[in-house]
Amino acid sequence: MNVQFVLLEIDRMKKLLTIAAIIGGLNTMVAQGNSSELDIARNSIFAEAFGQGFCWSVNYDRLLNVDRKVKNSYSIGVVYVPKSVGFGDGTYYGIPFSYNWLFGKKNHHLELGVGVTSLIVDPYWAHNVTSYYTYMTPKIGYRYQRSQGGLFFRATATPMIDLLNVSVYKYDDLTVRHFSTLNDVAGLGYAIFPWPGMSIGYTFK
C-alpha cells in the first residue's frame, strides 16, 4: 500500500508539473507577444507635398492593429499655403484627415485609404470673398515604414473629389452665401481632380 501510495503521489506530481510547465509556456508566449507589440514604433510625423493637403501639409500618423495581417492607421494634419505661393487668389488653411489600410509585411506596404480635407481660402484678392472647400480623398500608393522606427516614406495617387463648397460674399452690410457640390474642388474648377502625393518623415515609438 505504501509503495502504491508513493507511486500515485509521484504520478500526480508529474501531472501537476506538466500542467505548470504548459501554463508557464503560455504565459511566456503571451508576454513575448505583448512585448513585441509594445516594441513596434506606431507614431509618425511627416511632411506631404500635394496629396491630401492640396499644396503641402504637416501630418501625424498612428498605427493601429499592429498584430494583424492588415494594419490600420489614421492621419491628421494641418495645411497653410500663403497667397504668395500662387495657388488660387488667397491664403489657404486646412485640416486633412484620413483612415488607412496597410497590406504587406516588414517595411514595405500597399496603402489604401479614404479621407476628407477641409480648406478655408481667405480672402480672394479682387473681391471680399471667403471660400470653404470640403473634398474627399481616396488613396492608393506605397508606404515604407519600419516597425523599429526611422525613415517614413510614401508615394500615393490621391484624387480630390468635391463634396461641398461655400462662398461667402460681403457687400457693405449685405452677406451672400453660395453653396455647391460636385462642382469646383479646392477652387481648381473641376469636380474631380487627379492629384499625386509624396510624403517623407520619421517614425518613432
Side-chain angles (χ1 to χ4, degrees), residues 52-179:
Q52 278 192 275
F54 181 60
C55 181
W56 57 58
S57 60
V58 178
N59 304 268
Y60 167 77
D61 182 270
R62 170 77 174 179
L63 278 179
L64 307 170
N65 301 325
V66 295
D67 58 331
R68 300 180 185 176
K69 290 184 179 179
V70 180
K71 300 181 181 68
N72 305 102
S73 79
Y74 67 86
S75 304
I76 189 167
V78 292
V79 176
Y80 172 71
V81 184
K83 177 182 171 182
S84 59
V85 173
F87 276 96
D89 298 315
T91 300
Y92 286 69
Y93 308 89
I95 298 177
F97 175 82
S98 70
Y99 191 84
N100 314 299
W101 293 264
L102 304 176
F103 302 84
K105 296 180 179 180
K106 297 185 178 179
N107 305 331
H108 306 280
H109 307 277
L110 168 67
E111 179 172 350
L112 303 178
V114 61
V116 174
T117 298
S118 294
L119 292 177
I120 300 175
V121 187
D122 183 34
Y124 282 107
W125 68 273
H127 307 283
N128 194 9
V129 180
T130 301
S131 296
Y132 302 86
Y133 299 107
T134 299
Y135 56 89
M136 184 170 65
T137 53
K139 181 194 319 173
I140 181 170
Y142 164 78
R143 178 190 288 205
Y144 176 85
Q145 182 174 5
R146 299 174 65 237
S147 59
Q148 302 92 338
L151 175 67
F152 176 99
F153 174 80
R154 186 174 68 177
T156 59
T158 315
M160 300 186 291
I161 303 172
D162 182 27
L163 294 180
L164 177 66
N165 299 330
V166 182
S167 297
V168 181
Y169 302 83
K170 294 183 179 180
Y171 303 98
D172 296 327
D173 295 331
L174 179 64
T175 300
V176 178
R177 292 177 175 84
H178 176 70
F179 297 84

